[in-house]
Amino acid sequence: MLILGFESSCDETAASVVSWDGGALTSLSDIVASQVDVHRLYGGVVPEIAGRAHIEAISRITYEALAQAGVSLSDITAVAVTSHPGLIGALLVAVNFAKSLAVANRIPLVEVDHMRAHIAASYLTADAPKPPFLAAAFSGGHTSIYEVADYTHFTLIGSTRDDAIGEAFDKIGRLIGIPYPAGAGFDKLARSGFEKATGLSDNFWNAYPRTPAYRDPEMRLPSPAISDDSLDFSFSGLKTAAVNLLHRREQLGAETDPALFAARYTYEAVEGVATKLDAALSRHPDMNLVIAGGVAANSHLRARLTALTEAHGVRLYVPPLSLCGDNGAMVAAQGLYEYLSGARAGASLNARAADE
Ligand code: KG4
Ligand code: ZN
C-alpha cells in the first residue's frame, strides 16, 4: 500500500510517498521545500508570503516525491493532506492541490491533523511505538500532551493556555540575536551556558541548579508549568518575565551573558515540561512516552525526558531529527492509519486554522 502525503500548514511545503507492508511503514521519498530563508528576513512567518511560496513549490515537489520513490500516481492507494491546524492561507494550498489530484485520478483522499502527523513521525522508525501511549507534541504553534488510545483515537490531556514552547524559543531567541527559527541556535547557546556554569561538558543538568549562575536572584525566571492539578502550561509568563529581565538589565547597564541566559531559560522551559510529563506518566503508569514536533529536536529536552522515562521504568520514543520538523512522510504515516480506520475526506473538505 502506498500513501502520498502533503503538508503546507506553516512554512514548509512537503510531499512524500510512504509504503506499508501490513506491518512496517517505510518512507520512499520525503521532499521538503523550506521557506525559512525568506521568513528569516522578517523574524517570523509571514502568512501571505507562505501561501504564495507553497503554490510555487507544490507541483515540483510532487513530481520529485513520486520520481524519488520510483512510483507513479496510478500506484498510489490514498492521498493524505494536513487540513488543520495551521495558517489558513498556507493550509489551503496543499488541501486544494491534494483534492484536485485525488479527484482527477480517482484516488481516495484522507485529511490529517498536523499534531497527529507529528506524533506519527515515530512510526517511520525501525523501532516504532505502538498505542496505547502518551504523546507530547511540541512545535512552533502547539504544546500538547495526548493520551493516544489507538492510531486514530487521541484525547488531549494537557496543553498550553497561551503561547507554544517553540514560539517561546523563537521570540526570546530573536531578542538575544539568534535568527529565526531560533530553536537549534538556542539549543547550542544554552549548551555553552550550561558548560560555563557547571564546568562540565556533559551530564550538567543535575549540577546546574547548584551553581552561582542558577542561584543569581537577578536571573530568576518562572516555571511554565501551571501550579495546579492540570497538565497545562503557560509559556507567555516565562516569555514576558524573560523580556522584562533583559530590558531591566539593559536599563541598569548590567551585561547579560547570552549563553548563561539561554541556559537559564532552557532549564525553566524543559523542567516545566518535565514536571507535567512526570505527573502524566504517574497518572498513566506503564504507558510509554512519544515526543514529537520541531521542539522534540531539543537536545536538553531529549536528555531530560530520557532520565524521566527511565525513572518511571517506561520507554521514550524520539523521532530522528530529520522527522522532527514539518515533513510529508509524517502526514502520509498518519494518513495510512486514518485510511485504514475507514475515514475519507468528502468533496467539501476544507482547511481549518483551529485545532478541530
Ligand atoms: O513542528 P515544527 O517544525 O513546525 C510547527 O508545526 O510549528 O516546529 C518548529 C519549531 C520552531 O519554533 C523551532 O524554533 C523549534 O521548532 N525548534 C527547536 C529546536 N529545533 C527546532 N526548539 C528547541 N530546540 C531545538 N533544537
Ligand atoms: Zn509542525
Side-chain angles (χ1 to χ4, degrees), residues 218-219 245-257:
E218 277 294 304
M219 300 296 285
L245 184 154
L246 290 170
H247 283 171
R248 190 175 65 240
R249 292 179 63 83
E250 199 183 325
Q251 277 168 355
L252 293 172
E255 287 260 328
T256 303
D257 181 322

Side-chain angles (χ1 to χ4, degrees), residues 7 9-10 12 114-115 118 138-142 293-294 324-327 330:
E7 159 64 35
S9 67
C10 190
E12 261 102 28
H114 184 73
M115 302 317 290
H118 269 302
F138 297 145
S139 73
H142 287 77
C324 283
D326 292 345
N327 63 84
M330 67 184 199

Side-chain angles (χ1 to χ4, degrees), residues 88-164:
I88 195 72
L91 286 161
L92 281 169
V93 175
V95 166
N96 203 26
F97 188 86
K99 269 177 98 165
S100 311
L101 200 79
V103 169
N105 295 281
R106 297 173 184 275
I107 306 172
L109 177 68
V110 289
E111 65 168 316
V112 171
D113 174 292
H114 184 73
M115 302 317 290
R116 288 188 182 197
H118 269 302
I119 294 161
S122 278
Y123 303 148
L124 291 154
T125 57
D127 180 29
K130 284 195 176 59
F133 53 69
L134 290 177
F138 297 145
S139 73
H142 287 77
T143 315
S144 306
I145 307 173
Y146 297 93
E147 186 185 339
V148 181
D150 67 43
Y151 291 100
T152 55
H153 287 93
F154 291 62
T155 307
L156 184 68
I157 56 171
S159 67
T160 182
R161 294 188 187 167
D162 39 60
D163 300 334

Side-chain angles (χ1 to χ4, degrees), residues 36-47:
V36 291
D37 290 344
V38 183
H39 298 294
R40 186 170 291 135
L41 305 171
Y42 305 92
V45 180
V46 183

